[in-house]
Amino acid sequence: MDPDTATDFTVENVEKALHQLYYDPNIENKNLAQKWLMQAQVSPQAWQFCWVLLRPEKVPEIQYFGASALHTKISRYWSDIPAEQYETLKTQLFSQIARFASGSKIVLTRLCVALASLALNMMPEAWPGAVSEMVRMFQEEGGQVDGRARCLALLELLTVLPEEFQTSRLPQYRKGQVRGALGREWTAVYPLLQQLLRQPDSPPLVKARVLKCLSSWVLLDVPLNESEGLVEASFTALADPELFDTAVEAIVNTISQPDSQRYVNTLLKLVPQVLQLQDQLRDAVQNGDMETSHGICRIAVSLGENHSRALLEQVEHWQSFLALVNMIMFCTGIPGHYPVNETTSSLTLTFWYTLQDDIMSFEAEKQAVYLQVYRPVYFQLVDVLLHKAQFPTDEEYASWSSDEKEQFRIYRVDISDTLMYVYEMLGAELLSNLYDKLGRLLTNTEPTTTWQHTEALLYGFQSIAETIDVNYSDVIPGLIGLIPRININNVQLADTVMFTIGALAEWLADHPVMLSSVLPLVLQALGNPDLSVSSVSTLKKICRECKYDLPPYANNIVAVSQEVLIKQIHKTSQCMWLMQALGFLLSALPVEEILRNLHSLITPYIQQLEKLAGETPNPSNKLAIIHILGLLSNLFTTLDITKQEEESGDNAPPIKSAPPQTGPNPVVVVLQQVFALIQTVLSKWLNDSQVVEAVCAIFEKSVKTLLHDFAPMVSQLSEMLGQMYSTIPQASALDLTRQMVHIFASETNHFPPIKALFELVTSVTLTIFQQGPRDHPDIVDSFMQLQAQALKRKPDLFLSESLDVKAVFHCGVLSLKFPEAPTVKSTCFFFTELIAHCADVPRVGQVVQEDGKLLLLAVLEAIGGQSSRSLMDQFAEVLFCLNKHCFALLTVWLKEALRSPGFPSSRVSDEQKDTFSQQVLRERVNKRRVKDIVKEFTLVCRGLHGTEYAADY
């Protein structure tokens, strides 16, 4: 008999299905067996077959399934079990656990989990003192089972009990009751664990299980002072290599419990115990025993990190806490390179944040006292961190895997973040400190200095300067003066020099006289492919921040940039950044110079594009076309001459501004020159969405940057967009149309071409909807965003006779049912805009009045379970808008819609539907409240109300 077709859940069929699951080579058969077994597990017959499957003659796989079925029935279908059967079930489980105590470990664990689930469901009323009874049952001399096996079975049961509680599906009110009952039972568990851990003749396996059991129970927030003796015994266990890992887990879990900070006296007793581990820690580091040093470090950090405030407050014990801080400092500076020779130091970084936060949160007088002690500690920390951030020797670094190099990079970023944070405490003195060290290093005539030292100090500077305003600092001029003295003989050092200059770009804008010191270094680095990212990003920052001081250097910057672009030294993304840098640079020049530079910069690419436009389309010339179009897009993104007038008006001193511009914008001049060529490219590549996207991007970026200066192009671009979209509709064309509507629809002289374009793309898209829009969710998404933008910026577009408002409305209702979340969000946004114009746009008001009920039905269907729960806020907004603008209609529609049986879900009663309806209609001002009402109702509709899923919602 084939299990996948069987509905008869007998022992024989279960065994056949299990055989199929474990031994059938055919994956489909395995999947069918798995599915069938899951049904069997929840069937009423499971109560019969599970006990048979546990018989001694069965193999462990079959016994395991029997035990799992028992657990499933007890944990998920507790309400099916009659109260009079509780005792029998309990007795049977006890006897099975006793039998399996010396049998299969995996079956024993499942049986323990089943009994744990039974206990949790019966506690506290139906089974008071459950844990005490478990302990008693297993301590009694019993039959054939030896004492050690019984002891291990009891420990397994006691360990899984709190774990099962954490994952149980108990209702919230029961969870509180059961947690309280379990907490009271700790008095039965503690003496047993204490005795087993301290007994000299306890086997290591038993002690390890005791420690695991402690780890499990502390998750229930058992008071720290009530487990003090066990924690002490756990510290003793650290000396035994076999118990080390489990003891570490037990101590860390105990110390980390949020509740433990209340027990300051116990915490104070733990500090010397942690400090006593220092010899073991030093030996482990000396012997290269990474596991031991890692474990001890975890203990020290968990005590420091979780309880720094409580321990700082104990002023009379300040020396022992300072000793703990120094122990953690040792762990931060542990010898060796992360992550190859050690993985411990990264664990400590959060501690330094926590300690600093706690010190800085004290009131001023108290803070001053603590800073006297801890400022020197934090200066030492900076030295330690910069030492840890150093690269290994070139030879050693070359032997690292790419994964190790990436981990080291992330580690350095973490160190950088820590240094930036520490700056808040140490302030300007930290920069002076770093500067002095760097000065000594670079003026030292002895050749002992390695590039790694210099690089790490610069990295420290860069970390701080990147995010903190260092304009007031008196050491930066000195630093800029030192940079040219650095003997750059290594890629990593060169990279850091570049990034440091980039981090100081804002400072250079205020001190332009220093540009001549560093700009040559940046331009030289541009020619090195290994420094691609750092040199290009630094040049971009300088061009952005210092553009009004760069005209004297402009020719040189453009020449070097052109050279590296022609030589193709940089990858695509860096070429794009470089074009953005040049855009910033050119923005500050007079128009004729901008045009001259643009001509020399762009001409080679235009010639190349002309050549490519004449070729038959193929993959390689497609990439070249997209690359050139991308370069133009990025150049036009930042080339913005309007900013000159704004900045020279208020902030920038007059000497920094370029003369006011007259005549057309240089970008428009270039676009008009290449317009015909772009049309030629399009005519050949209209089928290719990536090329179309690249063309649209040029105009979209230009429109965004130029805004109203783009005006001369509106008419011809509108015409080209209309032709493009009519031939082959693409989402990028709609997005560009949206930009045009946003900026130009409100301008009288541009309204006609924009109106014509809007009506044309709407009509073409409506045809797509008639043919079946499911294959084009991106077009539907962009179309809905365009319609919403039109309603927002220029509702007059909806007054036109040529626009079929009714059809657009119906397309919206259809789009609400799409599975793609972004499309549904855009459609909801469209409807909120549309409904808001019911009163002032007659054709909109008419459509909503005639067909608004269809919209409401679609919204209710979505709330009823047809759409993702993550979209409920958007649907709530549509509902809120209907209520706000069409209250009388909504009242009638809601009544009619919710009258249908089983709508919007078979899980909701008429009473629940009425309540929902009344709650929604009541809220015409508070949108947040409507969102909550919808969330609540959707959970009821989906059968999730009051479940653990709802808790995350």
Side-chain angles (χ1 to χ4, degrees):
M1 178 180 183
D2 196 358
D4 57 281
T5 56
T7 48
D8 190 8
F9 299 118
T10 61
V11 173
E12 294 71 29
N13 286 337
V14 170
E15 291 196 26
K16 274 184 193 169
L18 282 164
H19 191 273
Q20 196 167 310
L21 178 67
Y22 287 113
Y23 304 110
D24 194 317
N26 183 324
I27 195 75
E28 274 187 34
N29 290 348
K30 279 181 185 293
N31 289 341
L32 286 170
Q34 169 94 349
K35 208 170 173 183
W36 186 88
L37 285 163
M38 284 170 81
Q39 291 171 330
Q41 216 169 22
V42 300
S43 69
Q45 293 95 310
W47 285 119
Q48 281 74 52
F49 67 65
C50 60
W51 301 109
V52 181
L53 297 178
L54 283 164
R55 285 180 182 164
E57 69 273 11
K58 304 290 182 188
V59 293
E61 292 90 337
I62 289 173
Q63 292 171 331
Y64 179 81
F65 183 77
S68 287
L70 261 175
H71 172 244
T72 303
K73 295 299 282 183
I74 294 167
S75 62
R76 292 195 198 169
Y77 300 95
W78 178 251
S79 55
D80 296 352
I81 307 172
E84 59 273 15
Q85 285 186 21
Y86 293 171
E87 284 304 317
T88 319
L89 191 53
K90 189 196 337 178
T91 311
Q92 283 176 296
L93 277 166
F94 268 127
S95 68
Q96 289 289 352
I97 290 170
R99 200 163 58 74
F100 276 94
S102 41
S104 163
K105 171 79 173 65
I106 57 164
V107 181
L108 172 66
T109 301
R110 285 324 283 163
L111 286 168
C112 287
V113 172
L115 181 56
S117 185
L118 179 81
L120 294 173
N121 278 297
M122 290 173 71
M123 289 168 82
E125 295 86 3
W127 190 359
V131 179
S132 310
E133 188 178 333
M134 290 173 186
V135 173
R136 200 171 56 252
M137 290 283 288
F138 282 90
Q139 282 182 326
E140 287 168 5
E141 291 300 320
Q144 312 305 309
V145 186
D146 71 75
R148 185 175 162 211
R150 263 202 336 276
C151 175
L152 287 170
L154 173 59
L155 288 171
E156 184 66 24
L157 178 57
L158 292 175
T159 304
V160 299
L161 188 62
E163 291 169 358
E164 179 67 8
F165 173 75
Q166 303 295 340
T167 57
S168 70
R169 299 177 175 217
L170 295 169
Q172 210 51 47
Y173 79 94
R174 284 274 298 133
K175 272 213 156 177
Q177 287 179 346
V178 175
R179 178 187 278 276
L182 281 171
R184 290 190 292 278
E185 295 270 22
W186 176 238
T187 49
V189 179
Y190 178 80
L192 169 76
L193 300 185
Q194 178 87 316
Q195 182 197 347
L196 290 171
L197 203 50
R198 293 210 159 148
Q199 243 169 253
D201 59 341
S202 278
L205 183 60
V206 169
K207 286 185 175 179
R209 291 286 169 80
V210 167
L211 292 165
K212 271 194 174 154
C213 190
L214 171 60
S215 273
S216 180
W217 274 81
V218 294
L219 294 175
L220 297 171
D221 287 335
V222 295
L224 184 62
N225 60 346
E226 289 180 20
S227 51
E228 207 176 287
L230 271 176
V231 179
E232 271 182 39
S234 304
F235 272 99
T236 311
L238 289 168
D240 183 339
E242 279 187 79
L243 300 177
F244 183 81
D245 290 344
T246 358
V248 168
E249 286 306 322
I251 294 168
V252 168
N253 287 339
T254 310
I255 293 173
S256 307
Q257 279 315 302
D259 191 50
S260 55
Q261 60 200 25
R262 296 194 330 206
Y263 304 98
V264 178
N265 289 334
T266 306
L267 291 173
L268 287 170
K269 289 180 196 169
L270 291 178
V271 176
Q273 294 187 57
V274 174
L275 294 174
Q276 277 174 1
L277 300 172
Q278 288 182 98
D279 290 342
Q280 194 180 350
L281 173 62
R282 287 202 167 81
D283 290 348
V285 169
Q286 217 166 353
N287 301 328
D289 178 357
M290 278 164 73
E291 280 178 27
T292 301
S293 55
H294 196 79
I296 293 174
C297 170
R298 278 184 65 202
I299 293 171
V301 168
S302 68
L303 182 58
E305 201 174 297
N306 288 293
H307 305 294
S308 67
R309 182 158 194 117
L311 294 169
L312 277 169
E313 296 271 17
Q314 307 306 306
V315 184
E316 64 280 18
H317 296 277
W318 71 272
Q319 284 168 304
S320 65
F321 183 60
L322 183 59
L324 177 67
V325 171
N326 285 322
M327 181 178 176
I328 295 173
M329 180 78 79
F330 175 81
C331 296
T332 305
I334 208 159
H337 284 288
Y338 181 95
V340 178
N341 321 104
E342 63 92 7
T343 54
T344 297
S345 57
S346 62
L347 297 179
T348 65
L349 298 180
T350 322
F351 163 74
W352 298 109
Y353 284 76
T354 309
L355 178 61
Q356 180 176 323
D357 282 347
D358 288 336
I359 292 171
M360 302 306 277
S361 69
F362 289 135
E363 38 82 24
E365 211 172 308
K366 195 172 180 184
Q367 188 187 109
V369 176
Y370 280 99
L371 285 174
Q372 270 189 309
V373 176
Y374 285 100
R375 268 177 73 87
V377 172
Y378 272 84
F379 274 113
Q380 186 193 344
L381 173 68
V382 171
D383 291 345
V384 167
L385 289 176
L386 290 176
H387 180 73
K388 292 298 292 181
Q390 282 185 27
F391 278 88
T393 62
D394 296 341
E395 211 176 328
E396 199 181 330
Y397 190 65
S399 71
W400 285 12
S401 69
S402 57
D403 187 43
E404 286 166 339
K405 286 176 180 173
E406 177 58 10
Q407 280 186 56
F408 181 59
R409 185 192 69 77
I410 294 166
Y411 174 66
R412 277 174 48 105
V413 170
D414 291 342
I415 286 179
S416 171
D417 291 345
T418 311
L419 288 170
M420 186 184 78
Y421 205 73
V422 166
Y423 179 84
E424 309 248 331
M425 182 195 268
L426 302 181
E429 201 183 329
L430 171 54
L431 289 177
S432 308
N433 189 297
L434 292 175
Y435 173 66
D436 292 344
K437 288 195 169 100
L438 189 64
R440 281 201 299 276
L441 214 68
L442 295 176
T443 51
N444 186 358
T445 48
E446 294 170 31
T448 50
T449 309
T450 62
W451 68 264
Q452 285 91 341
H453 275 109
T454 311
E455 190 279 333
L457 282 167
L458 273 178
Y459 185 67
F461 260 113
Q462 177 210 324
S463 303
I464 295 159
E466 234 165 9
T467 44
I468 284 157
D469 179 10
V470 292
N471 277 6
Y472 65 85
S473 170
D474 53 359
V475 302
I476 304 297
L479 171 65
I480 298 269
L482 284 174
I483 284 177
R485 300 186 61 152
I486 296 171
N487 174 23
I488 302 176
N489 53 3
N490 171 282
V491 171
Q492 281 91 7
L493 176 58
D495 252 339
T496 303
V497 169
M498 281 304 113
F499 284 127
T500 305
I501 296 170
L504 296 171
E506 281 184 47
W507 184 90
L508 287 165
D510 289 335
H511 305 82
V513 70
M514 305 300 281
L515 274 167
S516 56
S517 302
V518 291
L519 202 52
L521 289 173
V522 179
L523 294 178
Q524 188 188 344
L526 272 185
N528 184 344
D530 291 334
L531 303 178
S532 182
V533 173
S534 60
S535 63
V536 174
S537 70
T538 296
L539 181 65
K540 183 180 158 185
K541 281 180 182 174
I542 289 175
C543 289
R544 185 180 64 215
E545 300 299 335
C546 312
K547 61 182 172 190
Y548 298 115
D549 303 296
L550 290 177
Y553 310 96
N555 288 340
N556 197 7
I557 295 172
V558 172
V560 172
S561 301
Q562 267 186 289
E563 189 186 342
V564 300
L565 284 165
I566 289 162
K567 287 183 178 172
Q568 297 182 338
I569 282 174
H570 301 289
K571 289 183 180 163
T572 302
S573 55
Q574 275 70 53
C575 292
M576 302 306 160
W577 290 0
L578 192 48
M579 279 303 205
Q580 286 179 23
L582 294 170
F584 285 125
L585 174 74
L586 297 182
S587 301
L589 301 179
V591 167
E592 57 278 9
E593 279 193 48
I594 297 178
L595 286 167
R596 185 174 56 75
N597 277 295
L598 280 176
H599 181 73
S600 70
L601 192 60
I602 290 175
T603 303
Y605 292 111
I606 300 303
Q607 289 167 348
Q608 205 181 337
L609 196 58
E610 281 170 344
K611 182 172 167 288
L612 290 164
E615 294 174 5
T616 312
N618 67 56
S620 71
N621 59 23
K622 170 185 162 174
L623 284 176
I625 287 170
I626 289 174
H627 181 74
I628 293 169
L629 295 173
L631 291 174
L632 294 176
S633 287
N634 280 279
L635 179 62
F636 298 156
T637 302
T638 53
L639 208 172
D640 186 4
I641 59 172
T642 56
K643 288 276 169 62
Q644 298 179 353
E645 289 129 53
E646 288 166 28
E647 290 180 24
S648 62
D650 299 321
N651 311 330
I655 48 160
K656 283 207 167 188
S657 68
Q661 309 291 352
T662 52
N665 189 294
V667 172
V668 172
V669 174
V670 173
L671 284 175
Q672 285 175 327
Q673 287 170 357
V674 299
F675 199 82
L677 173 58
I678 287 175
Q679 282 183 301
T680 312
V681 171
L682 262 181
S683 63
K684 286 208 170 171
W685 289 90
L686 208 46
N687 278 317
D688 192 295
S689 64
Q690 286 170 301
V691 175
V692 171
E693 218 167 282
V695 168
C696 288
I698 289 184
F699 293 106
E700 197 177 341
K701 301 267 176 72
S702 306
V703 171
K704 271 184 182 169
T705 309
L706 301 180
L707 301 174
H708 297 287
D709 276 4
F710 190 82
M713 301 282 304
V714 169
S715 186
Q716 59 191 130
L717 181 58
S718 298
E719 196 181 329
M720 185 180 94
L721 267 175
Q723 289 167 354
M724 273 167 61
Y725 196 74
S726 306
T727 317
I728 294 178
Q730 310 245 4
S732 49
L734 288 174
D735 295 335
L736 180 49
T737 305
R738 189 176 83 245
Q739 283 292 338
M740 303 272 281
V741 167
H742 178 66
I743 294 162
F744 296 107
S746 304
E747 296 190 10
T748 317
N749 52 336
H750 294 305
F751 185 67
I754 295 288
K755 176 176 180 281
L757 173 62
F758 178 71
E759 287 172 4
L760 177 62
V761 297
T762 300
S763 144
V764 171
T765 313
L766 292 177
T767 314
I768 295 176
F769 268 93
Q770 284 166 0
Q771 293 162 353
R774 265 310 296 121
D775 298 336
H776 308 284
D778 55 337
I779 289 180
V780 175
D781 186 354
S782 295
F783 179 65
M784 286 299 149
Q785 286 186 52
L786 168 63
Q787 297 296 320
Q789 184 68 267
L791 283 158
K792 201 180 176 100
R793 296 294 291 183
K794 192 69 175 169
D796 291 10
L797 288 165
F798 277 70
L799 295 170
S800 165
E801 288 298 321
S802 321
L803 192 81
D804 191 343
V805 180
K806 197 178 183 75
V808 172
F809 183 91
H810 282 269
C811 291
V813 173
L814 197 61
S815 308
L816 283 178
K817 299 175 184 181
F818 270 46
E820 291 83 6
T823 306
V824 177
K825 279 185 182 175
S826 301
T827 309
C828 287
F829 177 51
F830 158 66
F831 276 119
T832 56
E833 288 295 335
L834 184 89
I835 297 160
H837 287 289
C838 278
D840 57 359
V841 182
R843 301 182 69 224
V844 169
Q846 189 186 343
V847 170
V848 172
Q849 193 158 0
E850 289 170 7
D851 297 331
K853 188 179 171 187
L854 291 173
L855 169 61
L856 177 68
L857 289 170
V859 169
L860 290 173
E861 262 176 37
I863 295 169
Q866 292 300 312
S867 276
S868 159
R869 273 162 53 204
S870 64
L871 293 165
M872 288 307 112
D873 275 1
Q874 281 74 23
F875 284 107
E877 291 201 12
V878 177
L879 209 49
F880 178 74
C881 275
L882 282 168
N883 199 25
K884 191 174 175 181
H885 299 283
C886 319
F887 177 71
L889 290 166
L890 181 65
T891 310
V892 176
W893 294 336
L894 261 176
K895 199 171 183 180
E896 289 172 0
L898 293 175
R899 200 181 289 148
S900 307
F903 181 83
S905 159
S906 54
R907 293 190 178 92
V908 282
S909 65
D910 289 343
E911 192 185 339
Q912 286 167 319
K913 288 198 268 189
D914 281 346
T915 307
F916 170 68
S917 179
Q918 285 163 18
Q919 285 177 324
V920 168
L921 292 169
R922 206 178 297 135
E923 296 297 340
R924 298 179 67 186
V925 180
N926 190 339
K927 193 192 289 183
R928 178 74 261 154
R929 178 76 189 107
V930 175
K931 288 180 178 179
D932 291 341
I933 293 163
V934 167
K935 279 183 179 175
E936 190 80 6
F937 190 61
T938 198
L939 289 171
V940 177
C941 289
R942 295 164 198 260
L944 296 174
H945 198 264
T947 65
E948 60 198 286
Y949 297 104
D952 305 329
Y953 190 33

